[in-house]
Amino acid sequence: MHNILVTPGDGIGPEVIDATRRVLDWYGKNRNFAFAIEEGLVGGIAFEKTGRPDPDDTILKARRADAVLFGAVGGPQWDKLPFNQKPERGLLRLRKDLELFANLRPALCFDALKDASTLKPEIVSGLDILIVRELTGGVYFGEPKETTTLPDGQKRAVDTQVYTTSEIERIAREAFELARLRGKRVASAEKSNVMVTGVLWRQVVSKVHKEEFADVELSHVLADNCAMQLVRNPKQYDVIVTDNLFGDVLSDEAAQLTGSIGMLPSASLGAKDTNGKQYALYEPIHGSAPDIAGQGLANPIACILSLAMCLRYSFARVDDAKLLERAVERVLAEGYRTGDIMQPGMHKVGTTAMTDAILKALQSLA
Ligand code: IPM
Ligand code: MG
């Protein structure tokens, strides 16, 4: 029995999670996938109901679960809350408390969508890159992180960028291991020209490479140059490994290459403990999209593809993951489009009809 915690959260989170639960039910009925679902509150909705965006109860449930399926958090109604009560804290606490240090963000351009990108089709067609973002360190969590008032009355705010050798080693190993299963090339992005954390990053990645992964090709790239190369010639990359903040920025950029941020899944993984247990959280990277929330318009594909990642990484169901990815490819080839990826001549649908189409494709491909 696989225990899955779903945390729908805010905005379009509940809609895309509902769609994904329908797909899970399909796997339960048709693919002998036995699972139990718990629900957890997170984000703005959790703040409304419990006074905290990151309830202890949700963290506890997440620890008990084999995998977490996360919707989205945030919305304009919570913008004015104090920093540590903002919806995003719910997600950040899950990452930190479960030590989900490895964030896998594939950017894959489906053939049917190569014209939906804002870049020329020949630049993005066939694109298949993987951003491996360090997720529990760096400037997101470094201390001090504070705002103080100076004697002259003005404010001074500090965030701290900090990395240790072991933090860099473990994310580098993750990236090299994943590269071995793909194109065997890793580009490591940092700012070693201006940041000492960047200097250490480059040294440690090089050492791990030399000692353990000499069969993989390693290159180093400055993060700003990487941002430029991603729009110039993204297909030069296979795996990009980078820190928390650069990974946040570069993965949004990579997402747009594929036509829509509504398409991209992610996995956040911890280390395996001695019993083989590995904490894992799967989430669409699009966020809560408050402007279209509650209208049945959201693209459920990113969340559904996050379930595919979950099947692959948490439950070793590689064939089932591939089946789901093929079903998504099929509905896109058939012309189904939600508003965010709509193109002339295609068949515009909402969340439910898109999910219906995916279920139908699963049924016929299975
Ligand atoms: C992401 C998001 C988050 C981040 C926010 C919601 C805290 O942008 O997952 O990329 O900055 O990490
Ligand atoms: Mg982001």
Side-chain angles (χ1 to χ4, degrees):
M1 178 70 82
H2 303 305
N3 294 308
I4 298 175
L5 175 70
V6 297
T7 56
D10 309 319
I12 60 171
E15 294 161 78
V16 297
I17 288 285
D18 278 351
T20 306
R21 287 184 70 162
R22 291 180 60 204
V23 176
L24 253 178
D25 287 336
W26 185 89
Y27 275 88
K29 285 199 194 87
N30 298 280
R31 301 288 288 193
N32 204 13
F33 183 76
F35 65 93
I37 286 209
E38 266 204 294
E39 280 199 45
L41 287 168
V42 74
I45 175 88
F47 177 78
E48 300 300 336
K49 296 204 167 153
T50 72
R52 295 283 327 162
D54 54 354
D56 292 342
D57 175 61
T58 301
I59 305 291
L60 208 79
K61 284 175 175 163
R63 284 189 192 285
R64 272 207 305 261
D66 298 309
V68 180
L69 269 179
F70 188 96
V73 289
Q77 64 270 53
W78 301 296
D79 277 352
K80 293 218 167 59
L81 284 176
F83 194 70
N84 67 358
Q85 290 175 1
K86 283 194 195 294
E88 288 76 9
R89 297 313 305 172
L91 176 58
L92 294 172
R93 182 170 175 204
L94 277 166
R95 289 176 179 171
K96 192 70 181 170
D97 283 20
L98 272 56
E99 244 195 284
L100 305 171
F101 69 91
N103 185 214
L104 281 42
R105 298 191 161 186
L108 199 124
C109 184
F110 286 92
D111 210 44
L113 289 185
K114 62 178 190 291
D115 297 308
S117 173
T118 42
L119 269 73
K120 296 191 189 104
E122 64 267 26
I123 302 289
V124 296
S125 87
L127 179 74
D128 179 2
I129 59 183
L130 176 65
I131 296 194
V132 179
R133 167 188 177 193
E134 200 291 326
L135 201 61
T136 49
V139 76
Y140 272 61
F141 298 101
E143 296 287 347
K145 189 180 197 68
E146 63 188 11
T147 309
T148 50
T149 307
L150 297 177
D152 68 357
Q154 66 166 324
K155 295 247 168 89
R156 179 173 187 271
V158 182
D159 292 291
T160 303
Q161 164 82 343
V162 47
Y163 273 107
T164 60
T165 303
S166 58
E167 283 176 310
I168 303 168
E169 277 171 355
R170 65 180 181 178
I171 193 69
R173 284 197 184 102
E174 191 76 35
F176 286 126
E177 261 154 27
L178 288 160
R180 271 187 180 152
L181 305 172
R182 307 169 36 101
K184 291 193 142 198
R185 287 184 296 123
V186 171
S188 169
E190 30 62 10
K191 282 287 286 177
S192 56
N193 53 345
V194 281
M195 298 166 81
V196 289
T197 48
V199 173
L200 183 65
W201 184 280
R202 192 177 279 223
Q203 283 166 357
V204 173
V205 171
S206 299
K207 185 157 184 279
V208 170
H209 173 249
K210 193 162 160 239
E211 290 174 359
E212 302 168 40
F213 298 94
D215 55 312
V216 177
E217 187 186 312
L218 170 67
S219 57
H220 301 281
V221 58
L222 296 176
D224 54 342
N225 185 27
C226 185
M228 187 270 276
Q229 296 296 338
L230 270 175
V231 284
R232 193 183 73 87
N233 175 20
K235 283 186 262 179
Q236 69 184 284
Y237 293 120
D238 176 28
V239 173
I240 297 174
V241 64
T242 190
D243 79 6
N244 205 342
L245 183 61
F246 295 139
D248 182 43
V249 176
L250 294 174
S251 63
D252 263 33
E253 189 188 5
Q256 177 55 27
L257 300 175
T258 70
S260 167
I261 197 165
M263 298 292 300
L264 293 190
S266 75
S268 303
L269 308 174
K272 274 203 180 82
D273 72 12
T274 44
N275 303 318
K277 163 126 181 155
Q278 180 179 36
Y279 291 129
L281 179 147
Y282 299 88
E283 96 187 93
I285 81 162
H286 48 57
S288 60
D291 52 319
I292 58 160
Q295 300 170 47
L297 300 175
N299 184 351
I301 290 180
C303 197
I304 288 172
L305 289 175
S306 298
L307 173 61
M309 290 189 90
C310 174
L311 290 167
R312 177 176 282 117
Y313 292 111
S314 284
F315 302 128
R317 294 267 198 147
V318 178
D319 290 343
D320 283 323
K322 284 189 184 150
L323 175 67
L324 189 45
E325 287 157 357
R326 273 168 45 224
V328 168
E329 219 166 300
R330 157 94 54 117
V331 301
L332 293 172
E334 285 171 350
Y336 291 95
R337 298 285 187 276
T338 42
D340 56 314
I341 51 173
M342 184 57 190
Q343 294 160 286
M346 297 293 151
H347 179 44
K348 190 165 176 179
V349 292
T351 315
T352 305
M354 179 60 96
T355 312
D356 291 343
I358 291 171
L359 292 171
K360 204 171 131 221
L362 276 172
Q363 200 67 43
S364 78
L365 287 168

